[in-house]
Amino acid sequence: MKKNLLIVFFLTLGFVSKAQKMTDKEAVLEVLSRQNTNWNSGNIDAFMEDYWKSDSLMFIGKNGVVYGWKATLDRYYKSYPDRATMGTLKFDILKTDFQSKTTCWILGKWHLTRPEKGDIGGYFTLVIKKIAGKWLIVSDHTS
């Protein structure tokens, strides 16, 4: 009887662990969904809420590395000064890889539909960390 209880306990523990990982994956994908919605509503400030508000935030783009949340926000405002330039964003998530219980690496493809300015797109890699119970982008490499 004790042996059967131990087996049930460990099986249940395994299912709970797997369920937790699914919850984390859903939470990370929700970050990207929220960003997509905020971008498409023209709200760069709300879009930036999913980035780590730290001087250690790192954004890597075609012009090099930008450090810090405020500098990244300023970069977005400079690069996308109006709705026509922002366009309509679409993400395709190609891979998610949980490096640990608190770190996820994401590979994706992005596309901006911009009838007035011409469409653009490329790829991105994100490092998202769970900080104080919230998944936040700590590194963004977009090309």
Side-chain angles (χ1 to χ4, degrees):
M1 183 70 173
K2 279 186 176 180
K3 185 177 181 181
N4 288 342
L5 285 175
L6 283 174
I7 290 171
V8 170
F9 173 76
F10 286 113
L11 285 174
T12 302
L13 186 62
F15 288 126
V16 169
S17 292
K18 190 169 189 170
Q20 178 62 37
K21 288 186 182 188
M22 289 300 292
T23 301
D24 286 340
K25 184 174 182 180
E26 290 169 0
V28 165
L29 294 176
E30 176 60 29
V31 167
L32 295 174
S33 176
R34 189 170 45 246
Q35 280 207 303
N36 194 77
T37 298
N38 289 331
W39 185 272
N40 289 337
S41 68
N43 192 338
I44 291 175
D45 290 327
F47 176 83
M48 285 294 297
E49 286 301 309
D50 289 302
Y51 282 87
W52 187 27
K53 287 186 179 176
S54 168
D55 290 339
S56 296
L57 169 69
M58 184 171 34
F59 180 92
I60 306 109
K62 68 179 182 177
N63 294 323
V65 181
V66 172
Y67 289 99
W69 187 87
K70 178 71 167 97
T72 302
L73 174 68
D74 293 345
R75 181 210 164 276
Y76 273 116
Y77 272 117
K78 182 178 178 184
S79 299
Y80 301 97
D82 54 44
R83 286 294 297 133
T85 307
M86 287 180 77
T88 302
L89 177 63
K90 181 180 183 301
F91 286 135
D92 289 315
I93 306 306
L94 304 175
K95 183 173 183 174
T96 58
D97 183 5
F98 281 82
Q99 306 287 305
S100 72
K101 291 180 183 179
T102 60
T103 305
C104 182
W105 179 87
I106 296 174
L107 170 64
K109 191 174 182 181
W110 62 276
H111 182 83
L112 289 180
T113 302
R114 306 184 319 170
E116 298 172 35
K117 304 277 185 172
D119 294 0
I120 58 173
Y123 291 87
F124 63 88
T125 55
L126 302 174
V127 176
I128 300 183
K129 288 192 174 189
K130 196 173 202 178
I131 300 171
K134 185 176 178 184
W135 289 98
L136 296 170
I137 299 165
V138 299
S139 177
D140 178 341
H141 184 178
T142 299
S143 60

